[in-house]
Amino acid sequence: MQGALLRLMANPKIWIGPSAAFAATALIAWLARHFLLRALRAWAVRTQSRPGMILVEALRVPTLIFVAILAVHFAIQVSTLPQTVTTIGPKVLTALWIVFFTVMCMRIARDLARHYGAKIPGAARVTSLTQNLAQGVVVIVGVLWLLRLFGWGITPILTALGVGGLAVALALQDTLSNLFAGFYVAVAGQVRLGDYIKLDSGQEGYVADITWRSTIIRSPGSNLIIVPNTKLAQAIVTNYHLPEKRLSASLRVDVSYDSDLDQVERVLLEVGTQGAGEIAGMLASPPPSVAFDPGFGESALGFTLGFQVEEFSGQSGVRNELRKRIFRRFREEGIAIPFPTRTVRLEAAASAASVKPEPPAAHP
């Protein structure tokens, strides 16, 4: 170690030139990076451009690595290192640059897919499957770029992958089926993130994510239901958020046969109209309605109060508040809510003759 230091001190041209090239290149590149990012951030803030801010955040760290790689490259070029180092070094630095550039583009592709997916009319947040596909395309391009850099032919590799892909496809039939089914579900737009759905098998809840293998549903009890994508693609699905979130709901109210029908209808309509402006999750337009349905019951008269809610999961809370308000108003108005009753009449047949018991038969 000491011998190497002595040689460097004896011949300063060995290290002064590369060091100066490294420092000058790093300084110039860092200043260019600083002014570029500053201008880009100012433009993004002025125009309120979300893609611009995504680009700024994605470039902030990788560009420092690019500055270092560029400075090392120029330092090697002006050095007196062996020709092997000066030949292989730039290729290694270029490979590192491609790797970091690919990682940066993966982040940009992921964030842009999430941003533009959320801006599409009628669409919800972008799924993990969509983000992974966007990143996968960038990775494939980066790998092909690296192979071309080192002079490896792409055609033989693609041929080998095509032959080996048949065996892989046979071994991973279920996995690939879930992958393509998930891609279809995500692209079709009939089941989106955040939608409240119910399957024909009974499972229901909010769609939390669509991955390469399964769709994750968060039930009303905050439990996760994992449904394979192939099962979801084949199931009969009710989407309570399409074509819109608002939903028609109803509440049945039974009153006594002695009640005044017009009074009951008026009270229910007043409670519903007042609640539409006060109860969270209940909509005022279209206004609530009252119908004498199902009508005549076994022990009560049945009315139905119809109303609109913001979304499917808000029905229970709105019904709970309406029931309490209706109960209090019925007490004030003297409207009775009957208990279920049944009248049973026992009648004896007029021609029925009394039956006398016969004595037991004598045994010999």
Side-chain angles (χ1 to χ4, degrees), residues 145-156:
W145 195 356
L146 277 175
L147 293 177
R148 185 175 180 181
L149 174 67
F150 289 101
W152 293 348
I154 300 176
T155 303

Side-chain angles (χ1 to χ4, degrees), residues 18 21-30 33 61-78 85-86 88-104 145-146 149:
F22 179 88
T25 305
L27 179 61
I28 295 173
W30 184 85
R33 167 191 173 274
V61 175
T63 48
L64 288 175
I65 300 174
F66 298 160
V67 168
I69 291 174
L70 186 62
V72 171
H73 172 74
F74 276 98
I76 292 175
Q77 294 301 316
V78 300
V85 177
T86 57
I88 299 178
K91 279 195 174 184
V92 175
L93 293 175
T94 304
L96 290 176
W97 184 85
I98 292 175
V99 170
F100 286 110
F101 183 76
T102 302
V103 173
M104 181 188 71
W145 195 356
L146 277 175
L149 174 67

Side-chain angles (χ1 to χ4, degrees), residues 79-320:
S79 67
T80 58
L81 294 173
Q83 186 178 2
T84 305
V85 177
T86 57
T87 303
I88 299 178
K91 279 195 174 184
V92 175
L93 293 175
T94 304
L96 290 176
W97 184 85
I98 292 175
V99 170
F100 286 110
F101 183 76
T102 302
V103 173
M104 181 188 71
C105 291
M106 286 174 59
R107 179 179 177 182
I108 294 175
R110 180 197 63 193
D111 293 342
L112 288 180
R114 185 184 304 167
H115 170 71
Y116 285 108
K119 290 185 64 177
I120 297 175
R125 298 181 300 278
V126 177
T127 64
S128 296
L129 177 61
T130 306
Q131 298 178 35
N132 291 337
L133 288 175
Q135 291 178 319
V137 172
V138 176
V139 170
I140 292 174
V141 174
V143 170
L144 294 178
W145 195 356
L146 277 175
L147 293 177
R148 185 175 180 181
L149 174 67
F150 289 101
W152 293 348
I154 300 176
T155 303
I157 296 176
L158 294 178
T159 304
L161 290 177
V163 175
L166 295 176
V168 174
L170 292 175
L172 301 176
Q173 289 185 26
D174 294 338
T175 302
L176 292 177
S177 297
N178 285 318
L179 175 62
F180 287 109
F183 181 74
Y184 166 76
V185 170
V187 171
Q190 298 170 345
V191 176
R192 311 165 304 175
L193 293 186
D195 286 355
Y196 194 97
I197 65 173
K198 183 175 182 179
L199 308 182
D200 56 351
S201 54
Q203 294 86 359
E204 62 178 283
Y206 290 96
V207 179
D209 198 4
I210 301 176
T211 66
W212 62 272
R213 180 185 175 276
S214 59
T215 297
I216 302 174
I217 301 175
R218 179 172 55 83
S219 68
S222 296
N223 299 315
L224 294 182
I225 304 172
I226 313 300
V227 183
N229 290 329
T230 52
K231 299 292 184 182
L232 181 65
Q234 297 172 2
I236 300 175
V237 182
T238 303
N239 193 331
Y240 292 100
H241 280 186
L242 288 178
E244 57 182 352
K245 287 187 178 182
R246 62 188 307 155
L247 183 73
S248 297
S250 61
L251 174 64
R252 175 175 171 176
V253 180
D254 292 337
V255 298
S256 171
Y257 267 91
D258 297 331
S259 303
D260 185 350
L261 300 183
D262 295 332
Q263 181 189 16
V264 174
E265 185 174 357
R266 175 182 57 80
V267 170
L268 290 177
L269 193 59
E270 289 177 358
V271 172
T273 303
Q274 183 180 5
E278 299 175 355
I279 302 176
M282 185 175 178
L283 301 178
S285 178
S289 61
V290 178
F292 184 37
D293 181 57
F296 305 102
E298 292 184 356
S299 58
L301 298 173
F303 286 81
T304 299
L305 173 62
F307 53 93
Q308 293 277 325
V309 294
E310 290 182 354
E311 59 174 312
F312 181 83
S313 60
Q315 295 182 87
S316 59
V318 174
R319 285 197 181 98
N320 177 65

